[in-house]
């Protein structure tokens, strides 16, 4: 029988310090005029399994329909027959690739909803940040929701970060660890 509990240890190292500073022990110069910020923090959520499955099904159906119309023997197909296939291809790709993201950098909060371009909120413009619980009913559905000064990026129900800027605009982003984002914004 073997001993699975014991962990091999190495002999203790002599704790003496070198007489002169070595490269690894030299302190880095700090610019006092520039405030120190924590490393960028990022969070978000991916599309739920049912949405990815629906997206894959629409993508496959759109591909089959488009291929069938284009492969039809005889004269060129009507353009109107291609529209449903292309719409299914685009909708399927959007559902399959959907992902919301929020990242806190030194100067901005970057909000992303793939495949759309990212939106930035300057940290100096943020008036309030809170952690709230939300679902599809709260903002009128899933995905990117825009309604009367409120922008929401929500794919699944749960907790997220609600950011209010100095103009009164509210932005909600669903996140796995919203407390980390609030702490990063407080720093």
């Amino acid at each position: 029988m073997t001993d699975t509990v014991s962990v091999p240890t190495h002999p203790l190292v002599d704790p003496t310090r070198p007489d002169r500073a070595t490269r690894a022990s030299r302190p880095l110069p700090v610019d006092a005029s520039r405030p120190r910020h924590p490393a960028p923090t990022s969070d978000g959520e991916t599309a739920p399994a049912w949405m990815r499955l629906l997206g894959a099904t629409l993508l496959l159906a759109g591909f089959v329909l488009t291929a069938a119309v284009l492969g039809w023997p005889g004269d060129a197909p009507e353009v109107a027959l291609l529209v449903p296939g292309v719409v299914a291809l685009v909708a399927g790709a959007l559902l399959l690739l959907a992902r919301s993201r929020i990242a806190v950098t030194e100067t901005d909060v970057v909000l992303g909803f793939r495949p759309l371009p990212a939106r930035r909120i300057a940290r100096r413009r943020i008036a309030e940040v809170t952690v709230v619980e939300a679902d599809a009913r709260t903002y009128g559905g899933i995905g990117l929701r825009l309604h009367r000064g409120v922008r929401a990026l929500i794919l699944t129900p749960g907790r997220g970060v609600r950011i209010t800027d100095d103009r009164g605009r509210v932005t909600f982003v669903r996140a796995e660890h919203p407390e980390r984002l609030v702490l990063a914004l407080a720093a």
Side-chain angles (χ1 to χ4, degrees), residues 45-120:
E45 67 174 334
T46 58
W50 68 266
M51 188 181 288
R52 290 190 309 256
L53 180 64
L54 180 62
T57 304
L58 278 173
L59 196 63
L60 180 64
F63 178 73
V64 168
L65 182 59
T66 303
V69 170
L70 292 176
W72 196 265
D75 292 339
E78 292 286 329
V79 174
L81 294 175
L82 287 175
V83 172
V86 172
V87 168
L89 281 170
V90 171
L94 290 176
L95 288 174
L96 193 61
L97 299 174
R99 181 176 181 353
S100 68
R101 180 177 163 265
I102 179 170
V104 178
T105 65
E106 289 183 15
T107 57
D108 298 318
V109 174
V110 182
L111 307 169
F113 187 68
R114 188 169 54 186
L116 300 175
R119 176 178 177 248
R120 294 181 178 273

Side-chain angles (χ1 to χ4, degrees), residues 98-181:
R99 181 176 181 353
S100 68
R101 180 177 163 265
I102 179 170
V104 178
T105 65
E106 289 183 15
T107 57
D108 298 318
V109 174
V110 182
L111 307 169
F113 187 68
R114 188 169 54 186
L116 300 175
R119 176 178 177 248
R120 294 181 178 273
I121 301 174
R123 286 180 70 159
R124 61 179 162 47
R125 303 213 59 165
I126 295 175
E128 180 185 16
V129 180
T130 55
V131 175
V132 295
E133 185 83 22
D135 60 6
R137 290 185 307 239
T138 307
Y139 294 105
I142 60 171
L144 175 62
R145 313 305 298 170
L146 304 170
H147 183 68
R148 295 185 188 170
V150 176
R151 177 183 304 245
L153 302 171
I154 185 168
L155 294 173
T156 59
R159 296 168 26 143
V161 178
R162 183 177 63 200
I163 300 169
T164 307
D165 66 9
D166 56 358
R167 291 178 280 178
R169 294 182 186 164
V170 175
T171 302
F172 173 82
V173 179
R174 168 80 173 84
E176 293 297 322
H177 306 284
E179 296 84 13
R180 290 182 192 169
L181 298 168

